[in-house]
Amino acid sequence: VNGVRAVVKKGLLDWLDHERPDILCIQETKAHTDQLSSEILQDHGYKTYWHSGERRGYSGVATFCKEEPLYVQEGLGIEKYDREGRVLLTEHEDFLLYNIYFPNGQKDDVRLQYKLDFYDDLLPIINEQVESDNNVIVTGDWNTAHFPIDLARPKENIRTSGFMPVERERLDTYVDNGWVDTFRLFHPEPHRYSWWSYRMGARDRNIGWRIDYFFVNGSFAESCIDADIHDDVMGSDHCPISLSIENNSS
DNA sequence: TCGAACACACC
DNA sequence: AATCTTGCGC
DNA sequence: GGTGTGTGCAAGCGCAAGATT
């Protein structure tokens, strides 16, 4: 969301009150909870969980739940990532939910490698949970467009972090391991993006990237009834994405 | 990150 | 306490 | 002169922290 405090000023809570999702996952909160008021922490009726980076004003994720999760974990359990406040795991009745702000690799080779390591280290963890009979959803800002259809300028960005072959190969590996990009189940069409540069009026011209996903394990994909991108919602350089799941109880 | 503005090929 | 400047990270 | 590639450089926002008032 490029700063929760900024998007609250721009109407996040009105939008939340209108949409009332069962669960809301946000990334790049850029705030510690002691910097936030009760209007965003709790007054809306959701239980909220926060994982913030050590560095003030940087990174951070939050998960809002109508129903209290069975279990909440801050971080992946790997120190070098957890210092940056990138992961919230919540357990729900029918699935585990990872809310993740994947690293950005554009600053230098060190950060690119850090990003690639994150992909490599996350995969065995979630694979193991599926093997243990859990359904798993991994959502958030993945910071990588997988295929040329997923960004407006594929040829121009082959050497830009976010669409480099090494990064795309990591997503290939997720797919090879049975993980499903749910948006494409329902939307084969091009020109559907979830992020646009603030600069150069990129959003007005839809020069964007699809870098936000809901990946789910293969068998759970059958329970997904819709996935979408809501590019009419303003307030950030990203727009919301959604996943709808079959309701088995009631 | 995008694309205007250049440089420099190469016929 | 409010405003400005610089710097960082997208 | 036209077309095609390749490279440096400007480009919005949100936030922190220090300086100035």
Side-chain angles (χ1 to χ4, degrees), chain A residues 14-31:
Chain A
D14 291 336
W15 172 84
L16 179 63
D17 197 46
H18 181 252
E19 294 293 336
R20 301 308 290 179
D22 292 324
I23 303 171
L24 171 69
C25 296
I26 61 177
Q27 301 84 35
E28 272 200 276
T29 51
K30 295 187 170 189

Side-chain angles (χ1 to χ4, degrees), chain A residues 93-95 135 220 222-223 245-250:
Chain A
E93 198 172 332
D94 298 324
F95 51 85
N135 288 316
F220 195 52
E222 296 164 22
S223 299
I245 299 160
E246 228 168 28
N247 189 350
N248 291 325
S249 60
S250 89

